[in-house]
Amino acid sequence: MDRFVQSNVEEIIDPSLEVVEEIAEIMDQVAPAALVPSYQSTPWNAVNLLLDRVDIVTGGRAGSLIQFGSFLFIGGTTTILNLIILYVILNFISFPSNLAFFHNLIGSASGSELSLLANFALNDRFTFRHNPGHERSWFVRLSRFHATAIIGILLTIGIQTTLITFLHLNALIAQAIAVIIVLFYNFFFHQFFTYRRLKDADAV
């Protein structure tokens, strides 16, 4: 009888290896989600503590908020660069009066392309440098960035035209609304296309 009781007690106190493995597996699944921050740690403890708080409040979205803020700041900076380039070409590079259209076209295209290259260089270095797709080659990342930007420009034109045609909005207001909408498109499309995770044998 004592031996039978002792055997049962040992089974209760000393669970099988299979049960232990199941418990460990559950802990591995649950613990990292609660402990691993969504952002890349900074050298400043105070900033990390603040980001930890943001992670808790937003349900683990501090990293995404940092990326979006960086994307906005860089986008605003390169927009100013675009305008400066356009201003310089229109005011300091002479064209015949009968080529005013081409003068504006060259200024606009130059400003757009140079600011786009600056936008890519800064976002690639700071905003998306920890995204898995950053493992692609520099040229592939640049090509994807350009493709996303071109679609964004076409969307901006389409949305602005639609708002003017059907809602009879002022052109500047329509443009502002289109830019804001496309801003979100650009950010998320860069996340899920330009810098998406590489699949097996995925080079592009």
Side-chain angles (χ1 to χ4, degrees), residues 145-194:
F145 202 95
H146 263 79
T148 300
I150 290 170
I151 295 172
I153 291 170
L154 295 176
L155 280 174
T156 302
I157 295 171
I159 293 170
Q160 184 204 35
T161 303
T162 300
L163 293 174
I164 292 173
T165 303
F166 295 100
L167 298 181
H168 308 291
L169 293 181
N170 175 274
L172 288 177
I173 295 176
Q175 177 78 355
I177 294 173
V179 166
I180 292 172
I181 294 172
V182 172
L183 172 70
F184 286 94
Y185 150 79
N186 280 328
F187 178 74
F188 289 110
F189 214 70
H190 285 315
Q191 292 275 16
F192 299 113
F193 171 70
T194 308

Side-chain angles (χ1 to χ4, degrees), residues 59 82 143 185 198:
N82 188 340
S143 299
Y185 150 79
L198 276 72

Side-chain angles (χ1 to χ4, degrees), residues 41-116:
S41 296
T42 71
W44 306 284
N45 288 332
V47 174
N48 292 333
L49 289 174
L50 176 62
L51 292 174
D52 283 337
R53 177 66 61 179
V54 174
D55 245 353
I56 294 171
V57 172
T58 62
R61 293 181 176 85
S64 295
L65 291 176
I66 291 173
Q67 280 195 324
F68 188 64
S70 173
F71 186 76
L72 282 178
F73 178 78
I74 292 172
T77 302
T78 54
T79 297
I80 295 173
L81 175 63
N82 188 340
L83 296 175
I84 291 173
I85 293 170
L86 177 60
Y87 176 82
V88 169
I89 291 176
L90 292 180
N91 291 276
F92 295 97
I93 299 178
S94 299
F95 270 67
S97 58
N98 61 330
L99 296 178
F101 171 78
F102 292 101
H103 192 188
N104 182 70
L105 179 63
I106 291 173
S108 180
S110 299
S112 296
E113 180 60 22
L114 291 174
S115 66
L116 180 59

